[in-house]
Amino acid sequence: SFRDGNMEIFISDSLLNNQKRITWNKVDEIHPCISPDGKRLVFTEGNQADNQTKIVVMNVDGSNRRYITNNKNTFGAIPTFNRDGSKITYAEWHKNPKSGFLSNPYIVVYDFTNEVKTFITNDSFECWRPIFSPNDKGLFYISKENNNQFDVYEHSFKTNQKKNITQSDFEEWDVALSYDEKYLAYAGNKDGNWDLFLLELETGKILQ
């Protein structure tokens, strides 16, 4: 919520009662995601306009705050937890210290148990909005790999292979997956504006 001149993070119940503010500073904090056990938050910190935001994790009471993207030339945005809260995935990019140019964002997975970061894609193509599948067998994300437009891709942890799920002639964004993993929901810019689509993964049938 916008307070005191910038975005701050609040926590409340699902009816937006008993609201409690948990960040108090002069920097924007957005895209909060709560861990499955309800004890931690990951979120994006910084001004989106300068493309130098950071990934932060902290306890829900605001304590034990630390950076996942702790290198000064490494940035990230929009993290999400996996099923048991042991990992997060997010889009990351970096700045060349000599030229000052920013790379394309690529998808990474960060493991809290061993503090190891795994690169799922590289910076050859712009990639965003990764989410774990509910069974933790893979990721879904959007990438400009095909015809320089955003399509939905699936990455399998078992085979380390990717698959273009949508292959449409318009851009997609904001991927979500049903808990039974039968349906993929996303926004698509089909007719010059963003509408919602539902893809049945087994049959490939798409409902706008």
Side-chain angles (χ1 to χ4, degrees):
S1 179
F2 189 78
R3 306 292 169 97
D4 304 330
N6 57 273
M7 300 298 291
E8 301 288 352
I9 294 180
F10 290 70
I11 192 167
S12 72
D13 60 29
S14 59
L15 298 178
L16 296 182
N17 296 321
N18 304 313
Q19 296 182 33
K20 180 183 179 182
R21 181 173 172 176
I22 57 175
T23 61
W24 304 74
N25 50 46
K26 298 298 182 182
V27 63
D28 282 338
E29 290 143 332
I30 53 178
H31 307 133
C33 180
I34 195 166
S35 63
D37 63 7
K39 295 181 179 180
R40 290 178 297 168
L41 287 172
V42 288
F43 54 91
T44 306
E45 176 197 278
N47 184 353
Q48 296 180 91
D50 63 12
N51 293 317
Q52 297 188 15
T53 54
K54 294 287 188 175
I55 301 296
V56 180
V57 60
M58 72 178 186
N59 297 335
V60 292
D61 62 2
S63 63
N64 196 27
R65 178 172 177 147
R66 64 187 181 93
Y67 291 96
I68 301 300
T69 50
N70 50 17
N71 186 297
K72 68 176 183 178
N73 291 317
T74 302
F75 311 100
I78 319 177
T80 59
F81 279 102
N82 70 335
R83 179 174 60 182
D84 64 6
S86 63
K87 300 175 182 178
I88 59 171
T89 184
Y90 59 93
E92 181 181 280
W93 60 97
H94 58 271
K95 182 172 67 173
N96 186 310
K98 293 183 179 180
S99 67
F101 289 126
L102 296 173
S103 72
N104 282 322
Y106 42 88
I107 306 302
V108 301
V109 171
Y110 179 84
D111 192 330
F112 287 104
T113 58
N114 54 19
E115 298 185 345
V116 169
K117 183 169 60 177
T118 302
F119 296 87
I120 304 301
T121 67
N122 58 47
D123 62 359
S124 298
F125 305 96
E126 190 176 355
C127 302
W128 290 100
R129 297 280 181 167
I131 60 170
F132 289 96
S133 60
N135 60 17
D136 269 354
K137 292 183 178 180
L139 296 175
F140 288 81
Y141 62 93
I142 59 172
S143 174
K144 279 190 172 183
E145 183 171 347
N146 184 27
N147 295 326
N148 198 35
Q149 71 169 28
F150 283 118
D151 278 333
V152 179
Y153 284 78
E154 179 184 7
H155 172 86
S156 169
F157 292 140
K158 181 179 181 180
T159 65
N160 201 33
Q161 298 296 311
K162 63 186 174 186
K163 178 182 178 182
N164 188 335
I165 299 296
T166 50
Q167 299 181 0
S168 66
D169 57 0
F170 54 87
E171 292 196 312
E172 292 100 11
W173 199 261
D174 289 333
V175 182
L177 196 66
S178 63
Y179 287 113
D180 60 10
E181 303 195 25
K182 292 182 178 180
Y183 297 96
L184 184 77
Y186 57 90
N189 193 357
K190 182 179 179 181
D191 299 311
N193 64 283
W194 293 94
D195 287 306
L196 297 181
F197 294 79
L198 191 66
L199 168 64
E200 188 174 23
L201 291 171
E202 184 175 349
T203 66
K205 182 179 179 181
I206 298 175
L207 174 66
Q208 182 174 346

